[in-house]
Amino acid sequence: MDQFTINLLFVGGSFALYIGIAIWARAGSTSEFYAAGRGVHPVTNGMATAADWMSAASFISMAGLIAFTGYDNSSFLMGWTGGYVLLALLLAPYLRKFGKFTVSEFIGDRFYSQTARIVAVVCLIVASTTYVIGQMTGVGVAFGRFLEVSNTAGLLIGACVVFAYAVFGGMKGVTYTQVAQYVVLITAYTIPAIFISLQLTGNAIPALGLFGNDVASGEPLLAKLNQVVTELGFNSYTAHHSDTFNMVLFTLSLMIGTAGLPHVIMRFFTVPKVSDARWSAGWALVFIALLYLTAPAVGAMARLNITEMMWPNGGINNGAVTLEQIDNDKRYDWMETWQKTGLLNWEDKNHDGKIQYYNDKNADMQAVAEEKGWVGNELTKFNRDILVLANPEIANLPSWVIGLVAAGGLAAALSTAAGLLLAISSAVSHDLIKGAINPGISERGELLSARIAMAVAIMVATYLGLNPPGFAAQTVALAFGLAAASIFPALMMGIFSTRINNTGAVAGMLAGLVVTLVYIFLHKGWFFIPGTNSFTDADPLLGPVKSTSFGAIGAAINFTVAYIVAGMTKETPQAIKDLVASVRIPRGAGVAQDH
Amino acid sequence: MSDNSNNNAYWSANMRIIVVSLIIWALVSFGFGILLRPMLSGIAVGGTDLGFWFAQQGSILVFLAIIFFYAWRMNRLDREHGVDEE
């Protein structure tokens, strides 16, 4: 059987499984559609949250970004796990006690204002849609490769699949399907990592192999990697090269954003008790950590493999890989398959029949290159998002592993896209239409408008996904910035401060959202349309602060504006103070109520 | 009202636990992982230094410990103050 057939079998088989579960557990009533009847065990809920959470960004994109940058991109690892601490300590138990279905319901009730609720819905839609764009980028890469079509065709096919899938069921289908998706994605992520870790370090646990010794040279793996990449003029892998202030801000933005993303918070409405909400966050992080502890090993080991593949004779002085090897040697087949997607390319610029891969921006390297007759880096394109998917092929692993990784990557993108579409559709139908525009809408009409909202969201995301503002994980990072600047501060102040009133909260959310959105658009183009940006992240408007790191500043603006405005306007009424007091203690948490 | 003062005591105990937990949270990530990394550079871990380990793995392990500690501690605190769910 050829690789294409094997990929189809794995991808098709896993899809059949998810759709089967979705049909088996199809949502009947509205309350089931949103919150699965609240009968979900903390461990199950944690696993589903992990699948929901770990998207194309975590699975497909993150290790690639770490591989090509090294230590500086540790922000992704700390940011996307550290946010769970904020979620578990500051939000989850209280939102569960509050006992409603959506994030914007809490904001609307706590700030006793329909305006606050609508502003929250808008924040939520903006952040979630940006997030879906990142997912679509990943879906395009994965489908492009496994159907052996261009990235664009892959994206369009992927959009149809995601839509058909998300429209099928609500949260209940999604909860059990996501458990299955978690199992598929974690197996797909760890198996190739274990193989590669054994090949390189002899250690079956990749997280330990990363700090172990390279079998071939006997040196520590990371020391070997540093030596190999610096020889080619790249930055050393383990040292800190980026701006420290920006790194701190970026990590903080990802953390706060994690705790502000509606599709993750919604998960904690589905556990039976307040005490379960606390455990749930922990279990979610356990399942997430299995991937996040493996990811840095995947990145470092893939970087070493790729570099050695480009210089198969042992370093820069012994000759690069030849065009003939790429054409004929089976170990280089992956380069030709990925070239078809348009995401990987090379060019023999100096016509010596070899492909020299080095950092042609490095001044010292330019001198070396001139001496050797090189006229530039000849591995002209290596999209970071292909690294994880190409990894098993690069390491020459059996074809079933490659098929499994295909299924895993799609599971990651699909599960998150479905969760986000659900959050968007419930925001539109439940909060906007039923809550504000037409309270008398029938349950049938509400479900219909939920599905229409999903369709619109996915069309917008697909259109923007064709020209994404960055690699999958970078686009997703923007979504986190938006969530950090708008939703998280409102939720936190709603629980921890009785002083913040309706006007304060609305002003804070609007200020945080608008300032962050404008900062992002100034750097990434208005509405992410390429070419309309006035600044770039290489030379940002405010010193070292990149648009991906702005979320933390947006959050600070939100808090500040809310406090100042609340101080100048009427005090919070007693009834709301009582509501806050009741949210703070677990006793009396019943089942959630619709209103 | 004694009920009220009990709730206030519960809440301030909760706040103390949250503050301590968040100090540790910030220390392992922003501290050991980024800002204090140069100070830890003397401690070698598998070809690199302790700060690198904290940035890529250590912080995640500590985050897990914090969340499980908090869940355990708060569920006990709920019972001590009689505000747990029956």
Side-chain angles (χ1 to χ4, degrees):
Chain A
M1 247 192 301
D2 64 346
Q3 187 62 52
F4 183 67
T5 321
I6 293 171
N7 290 344
L8 276 186
L9 276 180
F10 270 89
V11 173
S14 59
F15 271 46
L17 175 72
Y18 311 144
I19 293 171
I21 296 174
I23 292 172
W24 168 68
R26 202 169 46 217
S29 70
T30 358
S31 108
E32 271 180 19
F33 186 83
Y34 295 122
R38 247 169 255 274
V40 184
H41 189 271
V43 176
T44 319
N45 195 50
M47 211 183 265
T49 310
D52 209 342
W53 168 249
M54 288 192 291
S55 62
S58 300
F59 189 101
I60 298 178
S61 191
M62 186 175 68
L65 290 171
I66 295 170
F68 287 95
T69 316
Y71 166 81
D72 292 343
N73 269 344
S74 305
S75 297
F76 287 107
L77 296 165
M78 289 185 282
W80 282 339
T81 52
Y84 275 82
V85 176
L86 299 179
L87 199 54
L89 272 53
L90 304 177
L91 302 183
Y94 313 108
L95 294 177
R96 171 62 194 89
K97 169 67 196 298
F98 177 69
K100 288 285 174 66
F101 289 119
T102 63
V103 171
S104 27
E105 258 175 339
F106 173 78
I107 291 179
D109 286 9
R110 162 62 184 88
F111 297 111
Y112 48 101
S113 151
Q114 193 66 6
T115 320
R117 182 170 176 173
I118 291 169
V119 170
V121 172
V122 172
C123 296
L124 195 156
I125 292 172
V126 172
S128 303
T129 309
T130 312
Y131 202 151
V132 183
I133 300 170
Q135 299 311 309
M136 295 319 289
T137 314
V139 167
V141 176
F143 272 102
R145 166 63 186 85
F146 297 113
L147 300 176
E148 297 182 9
V149 293
S150 75
N151 190 28
T152 308
L155 178 58
L156 295 175
I157 296 168
C160 298
V161 174
V162 169
F163 177 68
Y165 176 76
V167 129
F168 248 114
M171 192 73 124
K172 185 158 186 183
V174 175
T175 300
Y176 293 107
T177 310
Q178 287 186 334
V179 171
Q181 279 164 337
Y182 177 77
V183 175
V184 171
L185 85 84
I186 200 68
T187 318
Y189 203 84
T190 45
I191 286 186
I194 291 170
F195 267 111
I196 295 168
S197 182
L198 280 171
Q199 283 175 352
L200 291 179
T201 66
N203 196 323
I205 300 169
L208 298 177
L210 176 63
F211 296 95
N213 284 342
D214 172 45
V215 172
S217 62
E219 292 171 66
L221 181 84
L222 288 166
K224 173 83 186 295
L225 181 57
N226 276 341
Q227 179 232 315
V228 166
V229 297
T230 49
E231 191 185 56
L232 299 175
F234 294 102
N235 281 338
S236 76
Y237 191 84
T238 56
H240 187 170
H241 302 281
S242 65
D243 181 80
T244 307
F245 179 61
N246 185 63
M247 186 175 176
V248 168
L249 268 189
F250 183 44
T251 310
L252 188 59
S253 299
L254 295 180
M255 287 176 173
I256 303 176
T258 298
L261 274 170
H263 73 290
V264 175
I265 300 174
M266 265 172 85
R267 284 271 158 213
F268 297 97
F269 293 98
T270 63
V271 289
K273 294 196 297 183
V274 174
S275 53
D276 290 341
R278 296 184 185 127
W279 291 120
S280 258
W283 283 112
L285 190 57
V286 167
F287 294 118
I288 290 166
L290 287 177
L291 188 143
Y292 273 67
L293 291 173
T294 309
V298 170
M301 290 172 190
R303 179 78 182 273
L304 185 60
N305 272 338
I306 290 165
T307 313
E308 293 197 323
M309 219 154 185
M310 292 293 118
W311 296 95
N313 307 311
I316 194 162
N317 295 315
N318 298 311
V321 61
T322 62
L323 283 172
E324 200 236 321
Q325 267 174 307
I326 296 177
D327 278 342
N328 300 326
D329 190 334
K330 280 191 77 63
R331 292 196 311 135
Y332 290 88
D333 282 355
W334 64 274
M335 289 182 69
E336 288 175 313
T337 37
W338 280 98
Q339 194 184 28
K340 285 183 207 152
T341 61
L343 301 172
L344 175 74
N345 217 342
W346 59 93
E347 185 197 346
D348 185 13
K349 291 176 183 166
N350 62 350
H351 307 288
D352 65 350
K354 293 175 181 169
I355 298 299
Q356 281 95 15
Y357 165 58
Y358 67 100
N359 184 6
D360 54 9
K361 309 257 176 345
N362 180 321
D364 293 344
M365 234 17 235
Q366 282 162 356
V368 175
E370 200 162 330
E371 196 183 299
K372 291 182 185 285
W374 305 341
V375 293
N377 174 27
E378 297 182 338
L379 189 65
T380 48
K381 188 168 190 184
F382 199 117
N383 185 303
R384 305 316 187 224
D385 286 350
I386 73 174
L387 182 114
V388 169
L389 296 175
N391 201 22
E393 302 169 80
I394 297 169
N396 208 14
L397 299 184
S399 39
W400 65 268
V401 179
I402 299 168
L404 184 63
V405 171
L410 290 172
L414 201 66
S415 60
T416 306
L420 286 164
L421 289 171
L422 191 78
I424 295 173
S425 71
S426 68
V428 171
S429 66
H430 199 71
D431 293 310
L432 212 55
I433 297 181
K434 190 174 179 184
I437 298 168
N438 178 12
I441 193 169
S442 67
E443 197 165 283
R444 222 183 130 84
E446 199 188 332
L447 277 175
L448 180 69
S449 54
R451 280 168 188 164
I452 293 172
M454 271 188 194
V456 173
I458 200 161
M459 279 189 282
V460 171
T462 308
Y463 176 72
L464 293 169
L466 291 171
N467 285 303
F471 297 120
Q474 293 168 332
T475 311
V476 166
L478 295 173
F480 281 75
L482 292 166
S486 56
I487 307 274
F488 176 80
L491 291 174
M492 194 183 155
M493 289 184 292
I495 297 159
F496 288 88
S497 163
T498 49
R499 217 187 118 195
I500 304 299
N501 58 11
N502 49 359
T503 346
V506 169
M509 279 192 285
L510 282 177
L513 178 72
V514 171
V515 174
T516 309
L517 204 54
V518 167
Y519 197 81
I520 288 173
F521 284 164
L522 281 173
H523 291 77
K524 298 289 184 187
W526 290 89
F527 303 96
F528 300 126
I529 293 163
T532 56
N533 54 318
S534 328
F535 300 91
T536 61
D537 274 338
D539 186 18
L541 172 62
L542 295 177
V545 182
K546 297 186 181 192
S547 60
T548 42
S549 316
F550 196 79
I553 296 178
I557 293 173
N558 187 334
F559 280 119
T560 315
V561 169
Y563 266 93
I564 293 171
V565 173
M568 296 188 306
T569 43
K570 260 169 77 181
E571 216 189 321
T572 317
Q574 191 54 43
I576 297 298
K577 289 185 177 167
D578 293 344
L579 171 76
V580 175
S582 87
V583 161
R584 288 177 179 182
I585 55 162
R587 174 151 295 181
V591 289
Q593 289 150 11
D594 207 352
H595 56 99
Chain B
M1 226 162 71
S2 71
D3 201 25
N4 239 340
S5 66
N6 177 44
N7 287 353
N8 288 341
Y10 168 76
W11 188 249
S12 38
N14 180 15
M15 290 303 288
R16 273 195 303 277
I17 299 167
I18 289 178
V19 168
V20 172
S21 303
L22 288 184
I23 289 173
I24 299 169
W25 164 83
L27 186 68
V28 294
S29 51
F30 301 108
F32 297 161
I34 305 177
L35 299 168
L36 303 177
R37 187 179 170 200
M39 288 168 63
L40 301 173
S41 61
I43 309 169
V45 175
T48 178
D49 56 282
L50 190 64
F52 183 89
W53 181 79
F54 264 107
Q56 302 221 326
Q57 291 186 340
S59 54
I60 301 176
L61 296 172
V62 178
F63 296 156
L64 273 173
I66 294 173
I67 297 181
F68 278 107
F69 165 78
Y70 182 75
W72 167 79
R73 185 69 190 81
M74 284 308 292
N75 291 345
R76 214 182 64 177
L77 192 73
D78 289 352
R79 285 193 298 277
E80 284 167 10
H81 287 262
V83 295
D84 56 324
E85 302 147 283
E86 289 90 2

